[in-house]
Amino acid sequence: MATSMLLVTLGLFAAIALPGTFSVTIEEKMRDDPDLSQFYSMLHRNDIANMSLRLKKVTIFAPTNEAFQRYKTPYDDELDKELVLYHMTNLPQTTDQFVTGSSTSLTSELEGNPRLWVTTKKGSYHDDVYINNARLLVSQSNFKAKNSRHMEQVLHKIDEVLVPVISPSTAATKLYNPHAWDFLEHYESLNINPFRVRLFRERIVRTRKEDIFRNEGGHTFFIPVDEGFKNSHADSIDSKVIDGHVIPKMVLFTAPTAKDMPYPTMADGDNMKVYITFSEETHGRTTTIYIKSHNILGDNTHSKGVVLAEIVKANIPVKNGVVHLINKPLMVVDKTVKDFLQDKEDGPLSKFCQEIADAGEVGQEFMRTIERAHESITLFAPSNAAWDDGNLKNLLRDPQSMKEILYMHLVLDKRLFLENIADSHKRHAATLNPKKTLIFNVALIGNNRTLTVDGGGVNATVIQPDIAAKNGVIHIIDRVLGVPYTTIIDKLRNDAQLNDTLFLGSRSGFNQQLNDTTRKYTYFVPRDKAWADARIRFPSEIKKLFMPDFTYHVTQILERHLVISDVAYTMEKIKVLTGDTNTTPFNYYKHKEIELPTVRDSLSMFVEERQDHNTDEQSKTNKSFIIHWKGEKIPVFRPNIECTNGIIHVIDAPFLKEGDIRVSGAPTAALAPHLLMLVIAKWLLL
């Protein structure tokens, strides 16, 4: 009895543990899988594929039915029968047997043995494996079995149909397994319509660069279609530009390739450094993939900056890599800022362009200003997604508000590349809106620099910097400037320079009121550097403020910085109220102080306005403010940061005097006499 049970158990174990190895063939597995019915049908129409299954070792990459639903055949019925052979190799391999790298390939069974390129992409739980642009469905792959001749075979499921480059059956000369130059030379005989590549091919011949498209190995080639030369002079496509269309020694299909990562091109020398990145933008169910060439150095012939092109036909496999057809040449700066805005109805700035058009005369004047700027301008252009903000609707209806918003995005007479901003000690710029100045912050994350722009209370991130134009540079940002969308507390949480004030207020409970949108606040916020400088001046006092036992004293100090009123006060308004209308270095003491109502007391100050004296032409129009408070002169680092419930002024020192907090040997600090009286008064009123 025990022996019988053991045999039954072993039999069950064999049936469960080794279903594909002995009992079920690859052919039977595909036949019985309803998700592979279309591929199985195609396989049985091909005699060579059937013979390979019966007689040979193979690996099969089987697309799902859903993959076939997305597949738009470029071939005739006869060639579709051959397509199955491009999904088979003559070497049985599971995923752990693939040798992966930047240019690893397998040999397919299709005539000419065109390559299948293998890429591994790091994932959170497991690495994803791609064959060309098709992802292996790992949980449904690696099925091993033997055919009737005991030949090992492996089945993998993939999420996309593999499409080779082959000539139609009607072509006089058949093309199988072409390298990139063969692809260019015989392109018209291929069934990849409606595009043509004659103009770029002619420039390759003229500059004698054919060999880089014949090079063995695995590379990535970007080929602009003829339509993209409408605004470009063919002579601008010289040998360096052609080099900038090739990423050597890496085969980059769109799905597994990391986005926004720079890849060096063949235009990579001492005098020219061009990198290419992939990016994508989604509109509804449609995803557009962009290619960006970034010329970091530039010269008299090749402009510095980014050129953006759209992939119109992606992932064309060739013998020596992959080809992507793009809608215009890279590296060629042939558009003005206005041209770029109006380039495409569904382009990356199409909504911005539409909002300008809808603004009527205000928008027309804005576009005329851009058009008249023949020299250098910088446009901070909100992305399509930025215009989805519901707070914009009412403002867009008001012509004056729309004018102020549009003009805040434009800096005249200056090309502000990311590198120039990062390397400058003056990280601000005057805009066409005379009331608004842009403040820049550059964060270094790894080797990448991220630029943020603060304008009109909005902190926007530059998601695509340095797009080059004939008359300037464009930065695509993720928000519309000038339309506040956060409360004061949210602004504190999202500003990396205000962490210390945020920390002090959160620990004492002071910050809770800053989310109230029924009140108007004016908050003078010391930046982190201000607290660091105060530690030098008042070391013991500041040390105590940041200790848990002194939250009450923190509240007393912060309440001095917070004005609560029916209106929020800009620096300009405070200046007017102090009567300081004609300040000079000789008469700025002719003033009257203003009393601003704070929580417990009032804040007495006057404001001095100064013009920046700078050799930088752009900076001459910038103004700054100095707060005069109890004999202290406190610079305003960033004025007029608008929020939905008030205004923040970032200042370079806290409103703090020696003696405000007296530190004794006891574990607590003593309040200054005038603050102590306030505490007693509050207690008596309770």
Side-chain angles (χ1 to χ4, degrees), residues 541-558:
E541 289 88 341
I542 298 300
K543 180 180 179 180
K544 294 289 184 182
L545 281 181
F546 282 84
M547 294 173 64
D549 294 338
F550 297 87
T551 56
Y552 183 76
H553 310 91
V554 169
T555 300
Q556 304 295 311
I557 298 299
L558 292 183

Side-chain angles (χ1 to χ4, degrees), residues 46 48-49 51-53 56-60 82-91 106-116:
N46 188 292
I48 298 176
M51 186 175 296
S52 296
L53 267 180
K56 298 172 62 176
K57 296 179 179 180
V58 294
T59 295
I60 295 180
E82 296 185 29
L83 186 64
V84 67
L85 295 175
Y86 191 55
H87 293 74
M88 302 175 68
T89 73
N90 60 7
L91 186 65
L106 306 171
T107 301
S108 76
E109 291 288 89
L110 184 63
E111 185 174 348
N113 303 119
R115 290 178 170 182
L116 298 170

Side-chain angles (χ1 to χ4, degrees), residues 362-363 365-373 377-380 400 402-413 429-438 618 621-622:
V362 169
E365 180 58 32
F366 181 72
M367 294 301 277
R368 284 194 292 268
T369 302
I370 290 176
E371 192 172 19
R372 287 194 297 263
I377 60 176
T378 300
L379 178 66
F380 293 89
Q400 183 58 34
M402 187 61 179
K403 179 178 180 179
E404 292 179 1
I405 290 170
L406 286 177
Y407 284 19
M408 193 186 309
H409 291 79
L410 185 60
V411 177
L412 295 179
D413 305 323
T431 69
L432 191 59
N433 181 343
K435 300 178 183 178
K436 300 297 181 182
T437 296
L438 300 182
Q618 180 63 41
T621 59
N622 289 331

Side-chain angles (χ1 to χ4, degrees), residues 221-236:
F221 305 93
F222 301 94
I223 310 297
V225 298
D226 286 359
E227 185 181 3
F229 285 80
K230 287 181 178 179
N231 299 318
S232 303
H233 299 292
D235 292 343
S236 62

Side-chain angles (χ1 to χ4, degrees), residues 182 252-253 301 665:
D182 288 334
L252 302 176
F253 287 83
T301 307

